[in-house]
Every structure is written in structure tokens, then in C-alpha cells.
């Protein structure tokens, strides 16, 4: 009670909930893609990450941003980054749940079974609470795929990467209980075009001395980085630890931290290497081929996180409109709001079905050529579509909360600022489209097989045949680059329709009707869904 008025008609906090139990679409997508036995584990995770305590840690880690401590009080270089304790808590909880390593067996081989699907479900829920800290988590997980080409390094690091301990002490990685890894590719003159990297690597005995800069290198308190640099045979990948094997601090100097739109809990540095110690990973001259193994996995995580952000936005919006009345009626009962939210719920149903289908492909790829082909062709298409759709989706979710959505206390404002980065890093939108074209030309037979399978899985659904015909024609055009966005978006929509069809044929039909046969136009709610379907979609999206 304030002095002048009673606080009325505001929604209670959306906290202390089980993020898994409330998310029917997630549970069904996990089960349909091999993770049926993980319900209890995921519910435990969902309750923990859905707690008010974790939400508060997310807020604190973003409001109290990391600080670069370049020097100590006597002028000695420190090159360390200080984080708020809430950030360390988030890291510890993610590490404890194995988000940074659970898809690997202790020797660094893929863990198999449904480890990708189950981890993705956790990553998605964590992303809906706090996304910034997941940057070092995803890079650590992904680095193992690149280290795999260098068995001595992999064998050395896996016992430390493989623990579920988070150890933020500034110490040489072999002495630590757990470690994190980052990556340094982007330079001032080019991020997409890493061939233009100017950083040099000179042989020094069995190791290398690396000199140059990186314009973006996130999570600088990682214990080691996979870095690209020019060696005698060309662009090569190096393992660069924060400490030299002799115990001294490696010659890595941070210039400053980026002042970013979002992603505030995560530090992103500009850095110089002054003859820094590095060990070759893979062969000289094969740097891109080596590091792309890592990037494939971080791209997968960009897609998962984007869908996690959208799901969180939808849940917060639905929760709010069920408590907020306008003109004596709950917003949740106003036909136009129902049209908007059910359309958004349909988008999330399709997105989660699609990313979980992709994660099944990651699970199966090591032993199944078809799954490997699905993964190769669709990872860039799915990263493109999910990451591109997230900012617009979150803007709409924010608007459902009216003014409350726009202010910093609201998680929607944070999610909205966070969302665009997933489309930019790990290969921006156009680069993803070009990568789909590359897969189609270099692995034509495998890619054509995947297109045929999608055609079969969506056969008879509204607009599916036309979409497939369009895709086939567009990709064959000599000027395919110019229409690649159109074709890649249709490919992602078609794959989403197929993935959803395995879980909920009715939702797949609605999705195809509005997205493939109809012209969705990008505004949520500008569709004409049957009232029964609207009710079902809203009930599923957030059971009351
Ligand atoms: C918060 C943040 C953290 C980051 N952290 C890291 C990190 O830890 N390590 C790291 O190495 N990098 C990091 N990056 C850098 C990021 O990966 C690059 O910004 C990204 O790859 C794009 O490179 P660029 O900025 O040089 O843009 P450019 O390569 O100049 O691209 C600009 C635009 O042109 C488009 N484009 C490129 N080529 C083509 C083409 N042939 N046809 C049509 N369009 C094209 C791209 O899609 C993009 O939209 C980070 C970036 C951000 C924002």
C-alpha cells in the first residue's frame, strides 16, 4: 500500500516456477527426439532455473557489468576482468549441470544417446533466465570438437574440461578443478573473412609465438583460447593458454571491453598478443577447417538460445496478460490479444520442434550419414531463421506487457537487447545463407537427399509443395546468392513444418497454412486461426 493509492491490476512476479513442467512444447520435442527418459532431470533443472533466486542473479549479473582491471595500484599489468558474484553463481550452476561438457564422454568423443537433446533443453531454459554467461559455456563445449584433431591436447585438457566444477581462479589450467575456453578469430579488418587475419605465428621450438590483435575476443577470463593466426603454411589454429607452461602469465594484453547493446553480463574484449605462447591445433594452414568444427556447435547453441529467449518472452507475456485487466476484462480474454499470443505460441512450438530435431541430428551424426547431412545443411538455415526471428518476437512479447515491458526491471527489455547478437556472431545472417548454398554445391547429393526427405515429411501440408518447388528453383539459379534469404527462410520453415508434424500434426498444419501457404508478413496476430486452436495453443503455452 503506497501513501496515495493501492497497487492494483499488476501481475505478480513470474518466478518460482518449473520451467520444464510449464513448457509442454519443450517436453514433447525432447521426447520426440530421443530424450523421453530425461523428464525428471529436466524438471529438476527447470525448477532450479525457474526460481526467483536465479532470476535475481540474472538481473544482478547484467546490472553490474564486468570491469577490466588492466593494471594494479602500482602500475603492474593485471589484465583481469572482475565479475559480480551473481555471474560466478550462474557459471557455477551451468557448469554443475554440464552445459559446458555433457555432450562429450570423458575421452572427448561424442557422448551419444540423447545427450545433445537433453543438454539443449537445459541450455534453452538457462537462456530464458540469463543468456550472457552462456558465451564461455558454449565456447568451452564447442572447443572440444576442434581439439579433437590434436589428440595430445585433447587428452591433456579433457580431465579438466570434463569436470562439473567452475573454477574462476586466475591460475594455469592444468592446476585447476575446471576450465573454460574462448575463441579469437575476428580482427579489425575482417570477421567473416578470417583469411584476412594479420596475426602472425612464428615457430619457437615445439610451440609458437603469436603476435597481433583480435578485435573481438569474448569471455577473456577463459583459461585458454583457440586463436587463428598466419603461420608459414597459412592460417592455422592455436591453443593459447592464459599462462605460459613455465608458470608466467602469457603475453596477452586486453585493451578494453566492448560497450555493448546487450549481452552485458558477458565481457567481450579487444586484445593484443605480444609474442604470446601458443600450441598448434591440427595442421598448419588448416586453421579454418579446424576451428569450423567448433563454430558448427556454437551456431547450434545460437539457435537454441534464441528459441529459449523467445519462449521466455512468450511465458512472461502470457503470465502478464492473464493478470492484467483492461476495460474490465483480462487481456488474456481480449480477442486481439489472443490472436497475437496464439500466433506467437505457434512460432515457438515450431521453433522448439525444429531445434530439437536439429539436436537429434547432432546426436546421430557420428554414426548416421543422413543425420550428418541434415546437420550440415540445416544448421546454418536454422541459425539464420531462429536468430533472425528472435528480436522481432521479443519486441512483440515486450509490447504485451505495455510500458512495463520497456523498463529495465523487466526481463523483456534485457531479452530484447540480448537477442540480435545471436544473429551477428558465429556467422551473420548473410553468411549463414551463403553456407547453405555452399553445402548444396559441395555436398550436393547428401543435401538433395535431405530436401527429398523434407518433401516427404511435409507431403500434403498447405503450401509445402510450392515451397519445395521454390527452394529447388531458387538454389539452381545462377544468381542464387541474390535470392538466398528467400530460399533459406523457406527451407527453415519447411524443416520446422516437418519437425512439428512429428510432434503435433494439427500444429504443423496451422504453421504450414500461415507460414507456407499464407503470407505471414512478420506481424504476429495478423492471421486468422480457428478459435479452438487459439485456446489450445494458449493453454499449452502456459498451463494454468
Ligand atoms: C558481442 C560480440 C562478441 C563477439 N565475440 C567474439 C569472439 O569471442 N571471438 C571472435 O572471434 N569474434 C567475436 N565476435 C565477432 C563476430 O563473430 C563478428 O562480428 C562476426 O563474425 C561478423 O564479422 P564482422 O563484424 O567483421 O563483420 P563483416 O565480416 O564485415 O560483415 C558485415 C556484414 O556483411 C555480411 N556479409 C559478409 N560477407 C558477405 C557476403 N559475401 N555477401 C553478403 N553479405 C556478407 C555479414 O553477414 C554481416 O552482416 C563477437 C561479436 C560480438 C558482437
Amino acid at each position: 500500500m503506497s501513501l496515495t493509492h493501492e497497487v492494483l491490476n499488476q501481475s505478480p512476479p513470474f518466478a518460482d516456477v518449473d520451467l520444464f513442467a510449464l513448457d509442454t512444447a519443450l517436453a514433447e520435442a525432447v521426447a520426440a527426439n530421443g530424450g523421453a527418459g530425461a523428464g525428471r532431470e529436466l524438471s529438476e533443472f527447470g525448477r532450479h532455473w525457474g526460481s526467483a533466486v536465479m532470476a535475481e542473479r540474472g538481473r544482478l549479473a547484467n546490472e553490474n557489468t564486468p570491469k577490466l582491471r588492466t593494471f594494479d595500484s602500482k602500475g603492474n599489468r593485471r589484465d583481469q576482468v572482475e565479475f559480480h558474484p551473481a555471474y560466478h553463481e550462474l557459471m557455477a550452476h551451468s557448469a554443475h549441470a554440464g552445459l559446458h561438457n555433457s555432450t562429450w564422454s570423458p575421452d572427448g568423443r561424442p557422448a551419444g544417446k540423447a545427450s545433445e537433446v537433453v543438454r539443449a533443453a537445459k541450455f534453452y531454459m538457462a537462456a530464458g533466465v540469463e543468456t550472457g554467461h552462456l558465451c564461455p559455456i558454449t565456447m568451452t563445449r564447442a572447443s572440444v570438437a576442434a581439439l579433437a584433431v590434436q589428440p595430445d591436447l585433447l587428452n591433456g585438457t579433457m580431465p579438466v574440461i570434463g569436470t562439473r566444477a567452475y573454477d574462476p581462479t586466475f591460475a594455469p589450467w592444468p592446476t585447476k578443478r575446471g576450465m573454460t575456453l574462448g575463441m579469437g578469430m575476428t580482427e579489425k579488418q575482417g570477421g567473416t573473412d578470417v583469411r584476412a587475419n594479420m596475426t602472425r605465428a612464428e615457430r619457437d621450438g615445439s610451440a609458437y609465438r603469436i603476435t597481433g590483435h583480435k578485435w573481438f575476443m569474448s569471455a577473456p577470463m577463459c583459461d585458454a583460447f583457440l586463436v587463428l593466426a598466419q603461420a608459414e603454411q597459412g592460417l592455422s589454429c592455436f591453443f593459447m593458454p592464459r599462462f605460459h607452461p613455465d608458470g608466467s602469465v602469457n603475453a596477452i594484453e586486453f585493451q578494453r571491453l566492448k560497450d555493448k547493446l546487450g549481452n552485458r553480463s558477458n565481457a567481450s574484449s579487444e586484445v593484443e598478443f605480444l609474442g604470446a605462447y601458443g600450441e598448434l591445433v591440427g595442421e598448419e594452414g588448416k586453421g579454418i577447417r579446424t576451428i569450423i568444427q567448433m563454430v558448427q556447435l556454437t551456431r547450434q547453441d545460437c539457435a537454441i538460445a534464441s528459441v529459449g529467449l523467445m519462449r521466455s518472452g512468450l511465458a512472461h507475456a502470457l503470465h502478464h496478460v492473464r493478470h492484467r485487466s483492461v476495460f474490465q476484462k483480462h487481456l488474456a480474454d481480449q480477442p486481439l490479444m489472443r490472436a497475437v499470443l496464439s500466433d506467437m505460441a505457434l512460432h515457438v512450438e515450431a521453433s522448439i520442434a525444429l531445434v530439437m530435431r536439429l539436436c537429434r541430428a547432432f546426436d546421430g551424426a557420428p554414426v548416421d550419414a543422413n543425420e550428418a547431412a541434415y546437420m550440415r545443411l540445416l544448421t546454418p538455415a536454422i541459425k539464420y531463421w531462429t536468430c533472425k526471428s528472435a528480436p522481432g518476437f521479443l519486441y512483440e512479447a515486450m509490447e504485451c506487457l505495455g510500458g512495463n515491458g520497456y523498463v529495465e526491471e523487466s526481463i523483456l527489455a534485457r531479452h530484447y537487447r540480448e537477442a540480435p547478437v545471436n544473429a551477428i556472431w558465429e556467422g551473420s545472417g548473410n553468411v549463414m545463407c551463403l553456407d547453405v548454398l555452399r553445402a548444396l554445391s559441395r555436398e550436393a547429393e547428401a543435401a538433395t537427399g535431405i530436401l527429398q526427405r523434407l518433401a516427404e515429411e511435409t507431403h500434403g501440408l498447405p503450401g509445402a509443395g510450392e515451397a519445395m518447388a521454390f527452394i529447388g528453383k531458387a538454389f539452381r539459379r545462377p544468381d542464387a546468392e541474390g535470392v538466398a534469404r528467400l530460399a533459406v527462410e523457406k527451407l527453415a520453415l519447411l524443416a520446422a513444418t516437418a519437425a512439428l508434424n512429428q510432434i503435433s500434426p494439427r500444429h504443423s498444419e496451422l504453421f504450414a497454412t500461415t507460414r507456407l501457404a499464407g503470407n505471414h508478413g512478420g506481424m504476429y496476430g495478423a492471421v486468422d486461426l480457428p478459435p479452438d486452436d487459439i485456446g489450445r495453443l494458449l493453454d499449452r503455452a502456459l498451463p494454468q
Side-chain angles (χ1 to χ4, degrees), residues 19 45-46 49-50 54 58 90 93-94 97 99 119-134 137 304-305 308-309 312 411 414-415:
L19 296 174
F45 186 91
W49 281 82
M54 290 304 274
L90 291 161
H93 285 282
S94 280
L99 295 191
R119 172 196 173 267
K122 294 179 184 173
F123 196 83
Y124 155 101
M125 288 188 266
V129 179
E130 208 294 306
T131 322
H133 83 284
L134 294 174
I137 294 287
I304 299 166
L309 282 169
S312 174
I411 198 169
R414 168 146 59 87
H415 282 352

Side-chain angles (χ1 to χ4, degrees), residues 135 139 182-194 214-220 225-226 228 258 260-263 266-269 291 299 388 420-432 434 438 481 485:
C135 175
M139 291 195 293
M183 75 173 133
M185 298 189 288
T186 307
E187 298 186 2
K188 288 174 186 154
Q189 70 283 0
T192 302
D193 188 5
V194 289
K214 294 293 163 187
W215 183 226
F216 281 90
M217 196 169 85
S218 286
F225 303 90
L226 294 187
L228 290 182
K258 301 281 191 189
K260 297 175 287 185
L261 167 70
N263 196 245
N266 180 37
S268 299
S269 69
I291 212 155
R299 286 176 180 171
K388 281 280 178 204
V421 75
N422 282 314
I424 293 174
W425 60 16
E426 311 309 319
S428 312
N430 287 353
V431 177
M432 290 301 89
L434 296 175
R438 194 171 306 121
E481 273 192 29
R485 279 196 176 214

Side-chain angles (χ1 to χ4, degrees), residues 160-171:
V160 194
I161 297 174
T163 75
R164 294 205 173 187
Y166 168 60
D167 182 349
T169 51
F170 187 51

Side-chain angles (χ1 to χ4, degrees), residues 33 110-117 300 356-375:
N33 288 291
K113 300 201 183 89
S115 60
E116 289 281 355
V117 167
Q300 175 199 12
M356 286 299 162
R357 173 65 189 89
L358 179 67
C359 293
R360 168 147 65 99
F362 275 82
D363 270 323
V367 292
D368 183 334
N370 285 328
E371 292 301 301
Y374 185 100
M375 180 183 86

